[in-house]
Amino acid sequence: MPTTPRRSPAPAQRRPQLSRGGERPVAPVRRRRRPRWAMRAVTTLSVVVLASAGIGHAVVTSLDAKIERVDPFKDMKNRPQAGHGMNVLLVGTDGRDRITEEERRKYRLGGAPCHCTDTIMIVHISADRERASVVSLPRDSYAEVPEGEGRAAHPIKINAAYAEGGPNLTVRTVEHMTHVKIDHYLEIDFTSFMKTVDVLGGVQICTAEPLKDSYTGLDLPAGSHRLMGGEALQFVRARHLDSDADLGRVQRQQRFMAALVERATSSGILLNPMRFRDVTRAVLGSVRADKGFGTGELLDLGRAMRNFSPSSSEFTTVPIGDLEYDVKGIGSTVKWDTAQAERLFRALREDKPLATHRPKPRAVPVEVDPRQIQVQVENGTKENGLGERVDTALAKTGFRTTGSPVFATDRDLKRTVVAHDPGWDRSAKSLAAALPGSELRAVKGLGPTLKVIVGADFEQVRKVRAEDPADGHARVVRGDETGCS
């Protein structure tokens, strides 16, 4: 599959710390920026998240009237067969005409509003309401508008379907391309995004490297940041941070959505009916939805979202076959990998997780790429050199080890331990898969660097691989990659 050229990761910056066993100092490595989910659509999901936590029916009913209605399913025929669960199409529009001149200047939102869509996501809520799967469709995706209403079938960039035929043609085109039946339609703009983030008190994100984009004005040093509405808008709009451009932006948006879900579901807003009402009245003023998305659906989706955590959700981008597929009269488009995309959309239709494992793989499939996992090795035995041996073996498997193993305080450890911050559980499970028999141990405040304390039971480091679309699997962004402690 063609890939976008990537820059080599910057050399690790080492800040010496005192070791536990008097050995060499611990030298944390910096995590390479992940070159991998869409701003306005993120806002829509945040609105849905707020409609939860047992808020009374009467409160939500009063909010129903705030939503502007559209009819994206009018006169639609020959639609895909309904599957299990609920599929919501989230569409993001420009809407900068609703933003003040001061905000436009501050957050680099110059230019006339296009009243178009450049972001589309399919959010699948499982039938048991225990899982959310979010698939981003890049705005420049090559698409085919289906024949109908005196219109001949023709090629188009998927974001242009809205400009040509509004919500109706957008839904038709997405269903035609994915064969996934859309149950509900939600549309959002800039205004609601910033309001949502602000009323939540900001959203925390973590970046291993500085992020600076002169186009949006984003300027974040490495570390943990709580972004308010305007700053969050810069973060999810930035597309000039690396060579991945729009695809890199989609991946940052996916990280932000996971963090936004966690913030909303853990916020006191959801447990205070009056605050919830006041917040959503302001937010829902810039949301449009289909006529069938009413109080019942809002409550149903809200209850499901209430139980979500970033680690229970899946985010991915449709597999790409050609990043520069040239189409006469349209220009350069992003062409999907037909076979891999079909596997992905079949999982949505069949209400299955996006990441599944093949039987008997040569390497154990894991959910987080080893190259994105920082590891500090400690030797918990009296065997000299064991720490170095494990560090070297993990590095060869792809993990980003510090290269400076140290002795643990406990030198009589029987079983190997993978210590991790609770927010990085998916990375910890991926690391534990490489250490058969190891014990997972949550340690609050440990941060993004995982710790392997080698015990007397250590035998080998097993080869692992990230699930990859080229192997028939969707590479899924998980919640433990979204924040710092």
Side-chain angles (χ1 to χ4, degrees), residues 252-319:
R252 282 186 293 277
Q253 291 163 353
Q254 292 173 341
R255 290 174 54 201
F256 190 87
M257 182 183 283
L260 185 67
V261 170
E262 181 176 42
R263 174 66 176 166
T265 54
S266 63
S267 170
I269 290 176
L270 300 182
L271 301 177
N272 186 326
M274 294 304 102
R275 189 179 178 200
F276 171 86
R277 180 197 60 192
D278 293 341
V279 167
T280 49
R281 277 180 176 173
V283 173
L284 292 178
S286 51
V287 170
R288 300 209 304 169
D290 64 274
K291 297 177 181 179
F293 191 82
T295 299
E297 287 71 24
L298 194 62
L299 283 170
D300 186 35
L301 191 52
R303 290 190 191 101
M305 296 302 296
R306 178 185 59 186
N307 297 321
F308 289 167
S309 67
S311 61
S312 71
S313 305
E314 298 178 302
F315 305 90
T316 192
T317 303
V318 61

Side-chain angles (χ1 to χ4, degrees), residues 276-457:
F276 171 86
R277 180 197 60 192
D278 293 341
V279 167
T280 49
R281 277 180 176 173
V283 173
L284 292 178
S286 51
V287 170
R288 300 209 304 169
D290 64 274
K291 297 177 181 179
F293 191 82
T295 299
E297 287 71 24
L298 194 62
L299 283 170
D300 186 35
L301 191 52
R303 290 190 191 101
M305 296 302 296
R306 178 185 59 186
N307 297 321
F308 289 167
S309 67
S311 61
S312 71
S313 305
E314 298 178 302
F315 305 90
T316 192
T317 303
V318 61
I320 305 301
D322 191 343
L323 286 167
E324 297 181 359
Y325 181 66
D326 192 63
V327 180
K328 186 177 181 180
I330 298 178
S332 180
T333 67
V334 174
K335 188 172 177 59
W336 300 349
D337 182 314
T338 306
Q340 304 305 328
E342 170 53 26
R343 291 190 181 96
L344 178 66
F345 295 128
R346 186 190 306 136
L348 294 186
R349 294 193 295 269
E350 297 178 355
D351 195 23
K352 294 181 178 179
L354 300 184
T356 56
H357 294 192
R358 280 185 170 181
K360 299 180 181 179
R362 286 181 293 179
V364 178
V366 293
E367 294 176 321
V368 180
D369 193 327
R371 294 171 298 179
Q372 298 169 3
I373 301 176
Q374 301 178 59
V375 182
Q376 170 64 52
V377 175
E378 294 187 3
N379 186 353
T381 75
K382 294 182 173 66
E383 181 183 342
N384 292 327
L386 181 59
E388 285 82 356
R389 182 152 56 92
V390 173
D391 184 282
T392 300
L394 286 171
K396 286 183 178 180
T397 306
F399 292 95
R400 297 182 63 79
T401 66
T402 65
S404 299
V406 298
F407 282 120
T409 302
D410 181 3
R411 300 290 300 280
D412 294 305
L413 191 66
K414 302 301 182 185
R415 183 180 178 187
T416 299
V417 171
V418 174
H420 65 95
D421 189 283
W424 299 78
D425 61 322
R426 296 289 172 177
S427 290
K429 291 177 182 177
S430 298
L431 176 57
L435 298 164
S438 59
E439 172 191 345
L440 284 170
R441 183 178 298 172
V443 180
K444 190 173 182 180
L446 195 59
T449 299
L450 279 60
K451 186 181 297 183
V452 172
I453 310 172
V454 186
D457 67 332

Side-chain angles (χ1 to χ4, degrees), residues 133-354:
S133 300
V134 183
V135 179
S136 296
L137 310 181
R139 64 178 185 173
D140 290 337
S141 293
Y142 171 82
E144 297 175 355
V145 171
E147 179 181 0
E149 299 180 348
R151 176 188 60 247
H154 60 278
I156 196 174
K157 287 186 179 181
I158 200 166
N159 68 320
Y162 187 93
E164 183 176 323
N168 184 269
L169 188 59
T170 300
V171 172
R172 286 177 184 269
T173 303
V174 170
E175 289 191 343
H176 179 68
M177 294 295 293
T178 65
H179 305 295
V180 172
K181 185 176 182 180
I182 301 302
D183 301 303
H184 293 291
Y185 174 92
L186 291 174
E187 182 182 308
I188 202 68
D189 64 20
F190 284 165
T191 310
S192 188
F193 175 79
M194 293 197 295
K195 286 181 179 178
T196 301
V197 175
D198 282 339
V199 297
L200 287 174
V203 173
Q204 183 171 316
I205 64 97
C206 177
T207 174
E209 297 183 9
L211 299 180
K212 190 168 185 176
D213 180 7
S214 60
Y215 287 80
T216 63
L218 179 70
D219 189 1
L220 297 178
S224 178
H225 306 275
R226 184 166 296 281
L227 304 183
M228 300 305 290
E231 298 169 304
L233 184 62
Q234 292 174 315
F235 179 78
V236 296
R237 290 184 65 235
R239 60 186 298 268
H240 297 279
L241 297 174
D242 49 47
S243 60
D244 291 298
D246 282 327
L247 293 183
R249 179 172 66 170
V250 165
Q251 290 147 15
R252 282 186 293 277
Q253 291 163 353
Q254 292 173 341
R255 290 174 54 201
F256 190 87
M257 182 183 283
L260 185 67
V261 170
E262 181 176 42
R263 174 66 176 166
T265 54
S266 63
S267 170
I269 290 176
L270 300 182
L271 301 177
N272 186 326
M274 294 304 102
R275 189 179 178 200
F276 171 86
R277 180 197 60 192
D278 293 341
V279 167
T280 49
R281 277 180 176 173
V283 173
L284 292 178
S286 51
V287 170
R288 300 209 304 169
D290 64 274
K291 297 177 181 179
F293 191 82
T295 299
E297 287 71 24
L298 194 62
L299 283 170
D300 186 35
L301 191 52
R303 290 190 191 101
M305 296 302 296
R306 178 185 59 186
N307 297 321
F308 289 167
S309 67
S311 61
S312 71
S313 305
E314 298 178 302
F315 305 90
T316 192
T317 303
V318 61
I320 305 301
D322 191 343
L323 286 167
E324 297 181 359
Y325 181 66
D326 192 63
V327 180
K328 186 177 181 180
I330 298 178
S332 180
T333 67
V334 174
K335 188 172 177 59
W336 300 349
D337 182 314
T338 306
Q340 304 305 328
E342 170 53 26
R343 291 190 181 96
L344 178 66
F345 295 128
R346 186 190 306 136
L348 294 186
R349 294 193 295 269
E350 297 178 355
D351 195 23
K352 294 181 178 179
L354 300 184

